[in-house]
Amino acid sequence: MRIFTIAAAGLFVAMSAYAQEPEPDVVVEGYRIEEAARAFARSVSATTNREDQLARFDDRVCPGVIGLNRRQGEFLADRIGRRALELNLDVGAPGCDANVLILVTQNPSNLARAIAEEQRYLVAHTGVQENIDTRGADALERFITEDRPVRWWHVAQTVSRDGQVLRNVPAQMWAGSSQSPHFHAEVVHANPLTASQTHASTRQEFRNVVIIVDATRVAAVRLDALADYVAMVAFAQIAPDVDTHEFDTVLNLFNGGGTGITDWDRAYLAGLYSVDPHSTSARQQTGRIAIEMRDTLTN
């Protein structure tokens, strides 16, 4: 598997004021939700090592599961696929090349190390491939060594406004490899004249994500809740060390809370997949995500 909105009488005035009394509460509540959403979005959203933009999948996702029996694997992949459809992503048919690869194992660190050493195209960090960007070598080492129930690693690439991959991987790099990826494209260059102070000429798209699940540590977790957690960390590059206990999110699944995807999670993902991917900074994007979350949660 390879590489988803001045009266006449004093009595009338008083009655009118009484009738309008709830409006300030609505405004205050909306403001509080937006502030909380802003704090959440800025806390959980991670960027790649080189680019100050939030990455996301652009069109098609293909969940692939290894390490579960057939029934459990199909359930996990299907539920993740449903979450992708909620984001208006296409889901690949059975047998498609997985770009959301979920590996369930009792030896997660050993598996992560083996992938990093033997199948580097799956976790390629900055400098390994031109135009490929991740959170960097130090973050990769933490992905390998830190003990977590679920660990994730995203690989992003830079594309132009019309979706063409920029400065793609040299073909000779994969010569002789039985694992040669299928996503080669011609080398193209972004037009700097299409950029502005608020809009960039390029955006960041996920090429693939690897998610490793510790089978022992998730044994007592409901499979539907695990699938929702995996979907959350697959479709958004979530900072692995973030403290989310103040928020109603599936990200609390392994710290005493969270039983599945929440309205808060859906609003965050919907915001991520609706804001302008060509924004010039992640801070600009998270601010807009907060507004989208407010509108979703108050309507």
Side-chain angles (χ1 to χ4, degrees):
M1 288 182 143
R2 298 188 294 269
I3 15 232
F4 187 183
T5 162
I6 301 184
L11 179 60
F12 179 76
V13 172
M15 292 178 66
S16 298
Y18 178 79
Q20 296 175 4
E21 186 176 350
E23 291 187 4
D25 294 338
V26 174
V27 172
V28 169
E29 184 63 20
Y31 175 79
R32 288 173 177 168
I33 290 176
E34 182 179 336
E35 287 301 295
R38 193 182 307 275
F40 178 79
R42 288 181 176 171
S43 296
V44 304
S45 302
T47 61
T48 59
N49 203 34
R50 294 181 301 187
E51 302 294 337
D52 188 23
Q53 288 177 320
L54 301 183
R56 66 195 193 196
F57 284 104
D58 179 57
D59 49 13
R60 184 195 68 92
V61 298
C62 177
V65 182
I66 299 174
L68 294 177
N69 63 46
R70 181 175 179 177
R71 180 182 63 83
Q72 292 175 323
E74 289 179 349
F75 177 90
L76 194 68
D78 288 347
R79 192 171 179 93
I80 294 170
R82 287 199 296 273
R83 300 297 174 226
L85 293 174
E86 293 175 359
L87 301 173
N88 296 317
L89 294 168
D90 292 331
V91 180
C96 58
D97 292 326
N99 57 3
V100 179
L101 182 59
I102 302 109
L103 306 166
V104 184
T105 177
Q106 293 182 339
N107 299 293
S109 292
N110 290 343
L111 178 59
R113 178 73 67 186
I115 290 173
E117 293 178 353
E118 301 172 15
Q119 298 177 319
R120 299 190 70 191
Y121 67 94
L122 285 176
V123 295
H125 58 80
T126 302
V128 175
Q129 300 172 28
E130 189 179 6
N131 185 45
I132 297 300
D133 201 11
T134 69
R135 298 194 67 203
D138 291 342
L140 178 61
E141 185 62 23
R142 292 192 296 272
F143 165 77
I144 294 170
T145 60
E146 289 185 353
D147 185 21
R148 300 181 181 279
V150 179
R151 60 188 80 187
W152 53 91
W153 186 258
H154 293 78
V155 178
Q157 57 191 2
T158 303
V159 301
S160 64
R161 280 187 172 272
D162 59 3
Q164 292 201 62
V165 179
L166 306 184
R167 304 183 309 277
N168 205 15
V169 183
Q172 64 269 24
M173 176 176 178
W174 301 102
S177 171
S178 62
Q179 301 290 346
S180 297
H182 63 287
F183 41 77
H184 291 308
E186 293 182 1
V187 176
V188 295
H189 298 281
N191 181 0
L193 297 179
T194 64
S196 70
Q197 290 184 340
T198 58
H199 294 80
S201 61
T202 58
R203 65 180 184 267
Q204 298 302 303
E205 291 181 3
F206 292 138
R207 191 196 72 182
N208 69 281
V209 54
V210 178
I211 300 172
I212 300 180
V213 179
D214 187 331
T216 302
R217 296 189 62 181
V218 305
V221 175
R222 288 171 54 100
L223 192 57
D224 54 354
L226 177 63
D228 287 345
Y229 184 98
V230 169
M232 184 72 174
V233 301
F235 299 140
Q237 187 158 300
I238 303 294
D241 297 319
V242 66
D243 182 0
T244 58
H245 75 277
E246 294 183 355
F247 303 99
D248 180 23
T249 171
V250 71
L251 297 175
N252 293 323
L253 185 62
F254 300 106
N255 61 12
T259 58
I261 201 163
T262 67
D263 290 343
W264 190 265
D265 297 323
R266 286 190 172 96
Y268 171 79
L269 289 174
L272 173 63
Y273 278 79
S274 64
V275 300
D276 185 1
H278 299 96
S279 297
T280 55
S281 73
R283 187 175 183 86
Q284 186 181 73
Q285 289 175 301
T286 54
R288 189 62 204 176
I289 290 172
I291 294 173
E292 295 288 337
M293 291 179 68
R294 178 206 64 194
D295 293 346
T296 298
L297 295 169
T298 57
N299 288 337

